[in-house]
Amino acid sequence: MITREQLQLSSDLIKKSRPSYQSILDFYTQVFLAQELSMQDIVIPPVVIEPDLLKIKEKNELPLIDQSEFIIDLKAAELLFNKICDLAYNFAPKLSFNAQVLKKAEQNKTFDLETLFYSILNNHGGALHEMAMLLNVPDHELIFFGYACIAPSIQTCAKQLEAYLTAMPDQKKGYCPICGNQPDMAFLDKDGKRHLKCCFCSHEWLVKRMGCVFCDNNDKDYQHYFFSDEEKEYRVNLCDNCHNYIKLVDLRQIDRSFYPKLEQITTLHLDMKAREKGYTNAGSLTNDVSV
Ligand SMILES: [Zn+2]
Ligand SMILES: [Zn+2]
């Protein structure tokens, strides 16, 4: 866990080395800081998993919960909504107008935040699409705002659930052991061990060093990567078996505090390059809205 001061410092350091991300960083850093602050106020009861169910999950290598079971602190999420709309209005020109639309619609009760939050948790694409049409806002922007508000609750809930995992053997799977979602990035720790980060609950878990994290393929003819000499801390792994890619941050190459979401949004050029080459990332969900 890094402090808010360290997060700000990491953001400033990245800004210096990659000026083209200045405006993206100005916005997202404030969003992340607001989320961290909100996290301190979150009060939710822990999700309880009965011992029998836990055994079944462990035996069948199933995630602890379904994402619909995460518990949201509605009050904290609603407060954050107003904060993030204001940040978007002030710092994200491309989101500015729709941020206003959403904030007004919420104040006039034209749309219900709780419905938005639970539609995201339950992955109700149809309901989200209808809501977005009604508000005349693109689906992905509505989801961005909604998810940004509930992310601190989801992360808190995931942290509480980690206690169940400590008693289990590491499964080293390509999906999140907490909620079953896909990873949106990987990193090598100071010992060179590979970890993945969940795109939904931000849980980090250990996996094997080699092979595709999505399909487990380990054939060297199918596993490739690219990187640039100017950014030695990043690598993008490509799999020709399942055509997924994943960005990898080598923590041995960075001298700033590691805040995964920050690295995620300041490497969008790598996502673009991987997509140009015809690869997709099953875990890229929410953090790549243009600002
Ligand atoms: Zn997860
Ligand atoms: Zn693969």
Side-chain angles (χ1 to χ4, degrees), residues 212 214-215 217 223 239 241-242:
C212 173
F214 296 102
C215 72
N217 178 286
Q223 299 304 314
C239 173
N241 187 47
C242 69

Side-chain angles (χ1 to χ4, degrees), residues 8 13 84 88 107 134 150 192 201 204 222 284:
Q8 184 66 59
L13 287 169
I84 292 177
Q107 279 162 355
L134 218 67
I150 58 175
C201 75
E204 294 165 2
Y222 285 87
S284 59

Side-chain angles (χ1 to χ4, degrees), residues 32-146:
F32 298 149
L33 288 167
Q35 287 175 330
E36 291 295 327
L37 203 60
S38 164
M39 197 122 59
Q40 295 173 5
D41 295 330
I42 282 176
V43 184
I44 41 174
V47 177
V48 176
I49 306 172
E50 297 301 333
D52 287 352
L53 183 60
L54 195 63
K55 273 199 193 106
I56 296 170
K57 303 249 181 200
E58 184 179 339
K59 188 164 169 260
N60 296 293
E61 300 188 338
L62 293 170
L64 292 178
I65 61 164
D66 180 82
Q67 70 174 49
S68 60
E69 295 171 77
F70 280 117
I71 297 171
I72 304 297
D73 181 331
L74 281 174
K75 205 170 143 243
E78 282 170 13
L79 283 173
L80 195 52
F81 175 78
N82 280 305
K83 179 95 209 229
I84 292 177
C85 283
D86 290 344
L87 287 174
Y89 178 70
N90 290 312
F91 296 98
K94 287 185 193 156
L95 291 176
S96 182
F97 182 77
N98 286 337
Q100 285 282 84
V101 169
L102 289 178
K103 197 176 165 182
K104 277 204 190 104
E106 203 273 323
Q107 279 162 355
N108 304 335
K109 304 281 171 228
T110 324
F111 99 109
D112 179 37
L113 271 180
E114 203 174 325
T115 313
L116 171 63
F117 298 154
Y118 286 106
S119 302
I120 293 173
L121 269 195
N122 288 289
N123 209 1
H124 284 164
L128 289 166
H129 182 60
E130 248 172 59
M131 212 182 287
M133 292 265 285
L134 218 67
L135 294 159
N136 200 20
V137 169
D139 290 26
H140 69 278
E141 286 186 19
L142 180 66
I143 295 169
F144 163 77
F145 281 103

Side-chain angles (χ1 to χ4, degrees), residues 27 48 85 130 137 154 174-175 195 205 236 238 263 265:
F27 171 58
V48 176
C85 283
E130 248 172 59
V137 169
I154 294 172
Y175 53 85
H195 302 255
W205 71 99
V236 181
L238 310 167
E263 307 292 336
I265 55 116

Side-chain angles (χ1 to χ4, degrees), residues 219-231:
D219 184 335
K220 64 174 173 15
D221 292 336
Y222 285 87
Q223 299 304 314
H224 312 281
Y225 63 89
F226 67 83
F227 69 97
S228 108
D229 280 334
E230 292 88 61
E231 298 174 332

Side-chain angles (χ1 to χ4, degrees), residues 3-35:
T3 64
R4 299 177 75 240
E5 290 72 25
Q6 286 169 324
L7 165 57
Q8 184 66 59
L9 186 62
S10 289
S11 166
D12 292 343
L13 287 169
I14 297 175
K15 223 181 281 180
K16 258 188 218 142
S17 61
R18 267 166 284 163
S20 60
Y21 279 100
Q22 168 105 39
S23 58
I24 289 183
L25 275 164
D26 284 343
F27 171 58
Y28 276 104
T29 304
Q30 302 225 46
V31 171
F32 298 149
L33 288 167
Q35 287 175 330

